[in-house]
Amino acid sequence: MIQPDLLKSIRKMRGLTLDEVCDCINQIVSKQALSKYERGLMQPSSKVLDALLAVYGISLEYLQGAQSIMVDRWNFRRGEILSAKEEEMMKEKISSALRQYLFLENKLGMSTSYKCPFSSKRFLSMSDMESAAEILRTKWKLGDDSLPSVCRIMEKAGIKVLELDLDMRIDGISGWINKDIPFVILNKQTLRVERKRFTALHELGHLLFDFIESLDIRTKEKCCHKFASALLFPGYVVYMHIGKKRSALSLEELVELKNSYGISVSALVHRLKDLDVITDAYYNHIFDVWIKQNPTEEGWGGYPLVDHAEKYQRMLQRAFAEGIIVPNDLYAYCSESKDLVKELHIL
């Protein structure tokens, strides 16, 4: 039995219309019949199925093994609002990549489960984000120091993390697969490492706290910002390095903290204002005179460690090296797969 949504998904990933597929298979069935296959109203004959597999460049084993999934509770960090068509295309690309992820996990026996570290009903307002971040550090045994790899921490907790080429207006997206599997997607085109780390934890906030989704967009984003900042640079660590009250700061000390904790200078300054270490007036001065003049923080240091999603790449490499699935199957749902394995050397 072929899952109908998989046929539709692969066709869209290949950028083909129903008419174009008909042409590719020499009109052995009509456009209407293809549409019925994709809607589950008919199953293709073996002859038609073989032709479709050849056009899509996948194996029958892969098509039968891939899972039908439901992705919902999408959370976007939008620079601008996407059109309905752009949003549909983006969701299709992400859903396809997540389907590939779950297929590989199942095929390789590497599935991990997610368990929420605490009751989401325990935290019900923005003011709770400080304590939530501290408790999460304890629950996940993260200690008090810098978090070396945010992506690895989230993957270890059972969250599916992927880096994809997305629209430049989007930093990160999160949501749920089949209602119980959380995922975070990071845009690998636009993110500096500090911004990527912050975005990943921002999206984690969306996943952890149900109350956030009932807030207006502006408050929702501020709440997740506060959680991400508190997790990267806890209040007690701020006071240890900076003090509880400052009338002036040096760029050099902020750059040193950026290098150590993997949090941008702009986020550090905002964190200090949020904790009342500096006044609103001084905060505005720093942004107007310094940060707005150098929004990419060029020349202001940088986190020295690599922080990226690792599990998906490891699964691809293993599947390819062991010949568990053929290369075309690797690329079927996620175009980034080709880039990840193109320089793989089998020993």
Side-chain angles (χ1 to χ4, degrees):
M1 180 70 72
I2 304 301
Q3 296 288 344
D5 61 324
L6 300 185
L7 286 175
K8 183 177 181 180
S9 176
I10 293 179
R11 174 175 63 79
K12 287 190 171 185
M13 285 296 293
R14 292 290 187 263
L16 297 171
T17 65
L18 289 171
D19 285 323
E20 289 169 335
V21 174
C22 281
D23 291 340
C24 290
I25 62 175
N26 298 318
Q27 305 289 335
I28 59 175
V29 290
S30 66
K31 169 184 174 180
Q32 289 72 25
L34 291 177
S35 177
K36 288 182 179 180
Y37 301 153
E38 292 185 355
R39 288 181 289 151
L41 301 179
M42 291 172 53
Q43 284 283 314
S45 67
S46 58
K47 178 182 178 181
V48 174
L49 183 57
D50 287 343
L52 291 174
L53 293 175
V55 169
Y56 296 150
I58 57 172
S59 67
L60 178 59
E61 180 188 13
Y62 183 74
L63 191 59
Q64 291 176 330
Q67 302 178 39
S68 178
I69 64 173
M70 180 184 71
V71 183
D72 61 1
R73 293 164 63 186
W74 296 87
N75 300 301
F76 295 12
R77 289 190 65 193
R78 295 179 174 95
E80 296 176 30
I81 302 299
L82 299 178
S83 69
K85 183 177 181 180
E86 289 173 328
E87 187 169 314
E88 180 185 6
M89 290 175 62
M90 181 198 65
K91 286 183 175 180
E92 183 61 44
K93 178 174 184 174
I94 291 172
S95 296
S96 296
L98 291 171
R99 192 179 289 115
Q100 166 84 304
Y101 193 116
L102 295 183
F103 171 80
L104 287 172
E105 274 196 331
N106 182 62
K107 194 75 174 177
L108 299 171
M110 295 176 66
S111 298
T112 55
S113 60
Y114 168 78
K115 182 179 180 182
C116 187
F118 39 62
S119 169
S120 59
K121 299 186 184 303
R122 179 175 181 178
F123 307 104
L124 301 174
S125 69
M126 189 182 302
S127 61
D128 292 333
M129 294 299 95
E130 290 286 338
S131 59
E134 289 188 23
I135 291 171
L136 187 65
R137 273 185 171 257
T138 301
K139 290 275 188 178
W140 283 358
K141 300 179 181 178
L142 304 179
D144 297 329
D145 211 339
S146 171
L147 305 179
S149 174
V150 165
C151 291
R152 193 181 305 129
I153 288 168
M154 293 169 63
E155 288 180 322
K156 186 177 179 181
I159 299 168
K160 314 308 178 190
V161 184
L162 280 168
E163 295 180 58
L164 304 176
D165 287 319
L166 300 178
D167 189 290
M168 294 288 284
R169 293 168 290 181
I170 297 174
D171 284 346
I173 297 171
S174 58
W176 295 81
I177 309 166
N178 300 335
K179 298 189 181 300
D180 61 353
I181 304 172
F183 69 86
V184 168
I185 308 295
L186 302 172
N187 191 341
K188 69 179 183 182
Q189 291 193 83
T190 60
L191 301 185
R192 302 185 306 277
V193 63
E194 299 86 14
R195 189 172 173 185
K196 180 198 294 186
R197 286 159 59 82
F198 191 91
T199 296
L201 295 180
H202 174 106
E203 297 303 331
L204 178 61
H206 281 292
L207 297 173
L208 290 177
F209 309 111
D210 293 338
F211 82 91
I212 288 178
E213 302 315 310
S214 65
L215 305 175
D216 63 86
I217 293 177
R218 183 178 176 82
T219 307
K220 183 188 300 186
E221 294 300 289
K222 290 173 77 172
C223 205
C224 290
H225 281 349
K226 184 167 185 176
F227 173 74
S229 295
L231 198 53
L232 281 172
F233 201 33
Y236 53 88
V237 178
V238 172
Y239 300 143
M240 178 179 68
H241 288 292
I242 299 289
K244 292 192 173 183
K245 288 292 180 182
R246 292 289 296 269
S247 59
L249 299 164
S250 71
L251 176 62
E252 288 72 20
E253 64 183 314
L254 294 179
V255 168
E256 184 62 33
L257 290 171
K258 173 182 177 177
N259 296 344
S260 297
Y261 286 88
I263 180 172
S264 68
V265 170
S266 61
L268 281 168
V269 173
H270 190 88
R271 180 82 173 123
L272 298 181
K273 180 181 80 75
D274 197 41
L275 292 173
D276 294 321
V277 174
I278 60 176
T279 65
D280 289 353
Y282 188 45
Y283 166 85
N284 292 333
H285 164 76
I286 294 173
F287 261 80
D288 291 341
V289 175
W290 291 91
I291 294 173
K292 288 181 181 178
Q293 309 308 316
N294 187 14
T296 62
E297 302 191 2
E298 188 70 29
W300 292 357
Y303 190 59
L305 302 181
V306 174
D307 196 336
H308 62 82
E310 298 177 357
K311 184 177 178 180
Y312 183 69
Q313 182 170 349
R314 289 199 304 271
M315 291 193 299
L316 281 176
Q317 291 169 339
R318 176 178 167 185
F320 189 78
E322 296 185 5
I324 292 175
I325 52 179
V326 298
N328 280 345
D329 287 346
L330 290 175
Y331 314 148
Y333 287 114
C334 184
S335 58
E336 278 79 3
S337 300
K338 187 172 292 186
D339 294 330
L340 290 173
V341 299
K342 66 183 179 182
E343 295 183 357
L344 191 65
H345 299 90
I346 308 302
L347 303 180

